[in-house]
């Protein structure tokens, strides 16, 4: 199985500042046949369903504010929130969909400093 | 408005069974894959099973293979997870999610809120 390791486990950032979350995969998530990286980022707020933010490692999902961005190589990925807003308090997790079983990072709890 | 609603969770004794449902609202699953995922405190998210309605294929994680069965109704509006031989470490919140993307592999574009399963004597 592909192991996804996120860092940090928790993060406190001041409003308006940048937040960066990392995700490392034990396997290259780039399919050379289509040049796509099979990595997604989700936001999970308490009491709500998880919401996809980023897929194909860097494609922003519909309706997601442009302060959220994703980047990375085949094994090391980053979710960046350029200017933290109060409504961004949540748990963020990455997922690989390169192969089944799909696997997830352990989650990063983001709070306001 | 499209959403997913899980139901069927509850308290069950070790060795018992439960059947979870994932109902689609505002669409049908006929062209989609649907997954069951569980969230266990301290362990994050675990993918359990997937049903691909286009390929008519089912996948299971090693944790639940042989104990859990995924299926759907004829109208492809509800996906079920039959859980047998439940153990204490199956306790958690069970969520369903729709899978979109590239053939048989995709990210989850729609999730439910989950239903709580507690396995305890």
């Amino acid at each position: 199985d592909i192991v996804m390791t996120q860092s940090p486990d928790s993060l406190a950032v001041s409003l308006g500042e940048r937040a960066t979350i990392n995700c490392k995969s034990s396997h290259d998530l780039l399919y050379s046949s289509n040049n796509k990286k099979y990595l997604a980022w989700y936001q999970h707020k308490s009491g709500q369903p998880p919401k996809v933010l980023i897929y194909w490692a860097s494609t922003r999902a519909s309706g997601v504010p442009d302060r959220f961005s994703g980047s990375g190589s085949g094994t090391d990925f980053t979710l960046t929130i350029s200017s933290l807003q109060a409504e961004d308090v949540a748990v963020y997790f990455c997922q690989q969909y390169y192969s089944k079983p799909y696997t997830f990072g352990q989650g990063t709890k983001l709070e306001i400093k | 408005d499209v959403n997913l609603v899980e139901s069927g969770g509850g308290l069950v004794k070790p060795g018992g069974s439960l059947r979870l449902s994932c109902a689609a609202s505002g669409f049908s699953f006929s062209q989609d894959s649907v997954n069951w995922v569980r969230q266990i405190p301290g362990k994050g998210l675990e993918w359990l099973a997937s049903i691909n309605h286009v390929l008519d294929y089912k996948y299971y994680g090693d944790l639940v293979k042989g104990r859990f069965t995924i299926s759907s109704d004829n109208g492809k509006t509800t996906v079920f997870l039959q859980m047998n031989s439940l153990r204490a470490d199956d306790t958690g919140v069970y969520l369903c999610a729709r899978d979109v993307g590239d053939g048989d592999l995709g990210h989850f574009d729609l999730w439910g809120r989950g239903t709580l399963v507690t396995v305890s004597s």
Side-chain angles (χ1 to χ4, degrees), chain A residues 58-79:
Chain A
S58 61
T59 300
R60 200 177 298 116
S62 176
V64 173
D66 61 7
R67 64 180 181 273
F68 291 91
S69 64
S71 63
S73 66
T75 58
D76 291 275
F77 300 91
T78 300
L79 173 70

Side-chain angles (χ1 to χ4, degrees), chain B residues 4 18-19 22 31 34-36 40 42 54 56 60 75 79 81 86-87 90 92-93 95 98 108-109 113 115:
Chain B
L4 298 175
L18 274 179
R19 189 195 199 203
C22 170
Q31 298 299 311
V34 179
N35 300 262
W36 282 99
I40 297 180
V54 174
D56 192 23
Y60 296 94
V79 169
L81 187 68
L86 284 163
R87 310 184 297 232
D90 292 317
V93 176
L95 304 97
R98 184 176 69 180
F108 299 168
D109 75 325
R113 293 175 188 267
T115 185

Side-chain angles (χ1 to χ4, degrees), chain B residues 95-110:
Chain B
L95 304 97
C96 62
R98 184 176 69 180
D99 170 336
V100 296
D102 190 15
D104 195 34
L105 299 167
H107 68 279
F108 299 168
D109 75 325
L110 185 66

Side-chain angles (χ1 to χ4, degrees), chain B residues 1-119:
Chain B
D1 202 24
V2 297
N3 60 53
L4 298 175
V5 179
E6 302 92 340
S7 60
L11 175 63
V12 62
K13 289 182 167 51
S17 299
L18 274 179
R19 189 195 199 203
L20 306 183
S21 299
C22 170
S25 177
F27 70 103
S28 82
F29 292 129
S30 59
Q31 298 299 311
D32 300 323
S33 290
V34 179
N35 300 262
W36 282 99
V37 174
R38 71 185 176 193
Q39 188 165 35
I40 297 180
K43 289 187 69 177
L45 288 161
E46 297 177 335
W47 175 83
L48 302 175
S50 173
I51 183 166
N52 184 313
H53 289 112
V54 174
L55 298 177
D56 192 23
Y57 201 82
K58 301 171 184 177
Y59 303 88
Y60 296 94
D62 288 343
L63 285 171
V64 303
K65 203 174 293 183
R67 297 192 299 130
F68 292 8
T69 303
I70 193 169
S71 63
S72 60
D73 68 339
N74 288 337
K76 303 289 191 292
T77 60
T78 304
V79 169
F80 305 99
L81 187 68
Q82 177 67 42
M83 306 189 297
N84 299 329
S85 303
L86 284 163
R87 310 184 297 232
D89 60 2
D90 292 317
T91 294
V93 176
Y94 285 68
L95 304 97
C96 62
R98 184 176 69 180
D99 170 336
V100 296
D102 190 15
D104 195 34
L105 299 167
H107 68 279
F108 299 168
D109 75 325
L110 185 66
W111 295 70
R113 293 175 188 267
T115 185
L116 176 62
V117 171
T118 303
V119 184

